[in-house]
Amino acid sequence: MKVIKNSITDDLHQKCVIDIEDKKPKSCWTSSSLVWPPEIRQGIDGSCIFTPVSDNICKLLEQELDPLLPKPYGELIFQYYIWQWNSGISWHQDKFRFGATLYLNDFWNANGGGWFMWEDTDGYHSLLPEKNLLSINDNNEYHCVTPVSPNAPMFRYTIQIWGK
């Protein structure tokens, strides 16, 4: 797992936040409860919603993130995720060349749940969401997201990125 701080500029971060906020009231979202297989929803009571990132933001993200992403990656898929209360994802492996998460919240309280965890040859690790932090899973490592607390003052916002 690679963890990179300040992976995008604050300007691009702001554009992403504006884009996700613009999409929030629209009928473009899919729910994890509807499409994720049961094995990655084990122990998870809530639902995560997701939608594709706008094309213009995808281009900007690809330009800024390209030096950081594993090569070769072919096609990139960018999706906004809103991790609602009680949402998370059970331990699993991705089925892509690599998976990455870009964290969008300006601040995340450690008591809010939503911790990213993974297992590698050194054991178990955890990561608290942090603005513009990018985690890249390019070794097919098992990972999960702990449920977001119903007491968290906000939802957890990320951009999920997959390289095919």
Side-chain angles (χ1 to χ4, degrees), residues 35-40 75 77 89 91-100 137 139-143 161-164:
V35 298
W36 286 359
E39 60 270 14
I40 63 173
E75 179 188 356
I77 298 168
I89 190 167
W91 286 95
H92 69 285
Q93 291 175 295
D94 294 326
K95 296 181 173 125
F96 294 97
R97 159 84 172 87
F98 72 86
N137 183 350
N139 287 320
N140 204 27
E141 293 161 336
Y142 276 95
H143 58 284
I161 306 162
W162 290 277
K164 285 187 161 187

Side-chain angles (χ1 to χ4, degrees), residues 2-157:
K2 293 183 176 97
V3 177
I4 303 162
K5 292 186 176 216
N6 300 312
S7 61
I8 61 171
T9 62
D10 284 338
D11 180 58
L12 180 52
H13 171 266
Q14 189 60 34
K15 287 176 180 169
C16 293
V17 170
I18 289 169
D19 192 36
I20 199 171
E21 290 292 339
D22 286 348
K23 287 177 177 280
K24 264 179 32 180
K26 297 184 178 163
S27 304
C28 59
W29 298 90
T30 302
S31 169
S32 60
S33 297
L34 298 175
V35 298
W36 286 359
E39 60 270 14
I40 63 173
R41 290 185 285 117
Q42 271 185 349
I44 305 296
D45 296 327
S47 177
C48 174
I49 59 174
F50 51 96
T51 193
V53 172
S54 300
D55 289 343
N56 60 325
I57 302 295
C58 285
K59 289 175 187 161
L60 295 171
L61 285 165
E62 187 168 357
Q63 287 173 353
E64 287 196 19
L65 295 175
D66 181 71
L68 307 174
L69 299 176
K71 307 293 186 300
Y73 53 71
E75 179 188 356
L76 291 176
I77 298 168
F78 294 93
Q79 291 184 318
Y80 289 121
Y81 273 52
I82 297 180
W83 301 81
Q84 301 174 100
W85 296 307
N86 295 318
S87 70
I89 190 167
S90 301
W91 286 95
H92 69 285
Q93 291 175 295
D94 294 326
K95 296 181 173 125
F96 294 97
R97 159 84 172 87
F98 72 86
T101 302
L102 176 62
Y103 299 92
L104 296 179
N105 294 82
D106 284 338
F107 171 78
W108 191 257
N109 187 303
N111 291 321
W115 285 79
F116 177 71
M117 300 177 68
W118 73 94
E119 179 185 18
D120 62 20
T121 56
D122 295 326
Y124 291 94
H125 310 274
S126 61
L127 179 69
L128 182 67
E130 181 181 317
K131 177 185 171 184
N132 293 344
L133 187 132
L134 180 71
S135 61
I136 304 172
N137 183 350
D138 60 350
N139 287 320
N140 204 27
E141 293 161 336
Y142 276 95
H143 58 284
C144 73
V145 174
T146 66
V148 174
S149 170
N151 297 317
M154 65 190 77
F155 294 145
R156 182 179 180 268
Y157 288 4

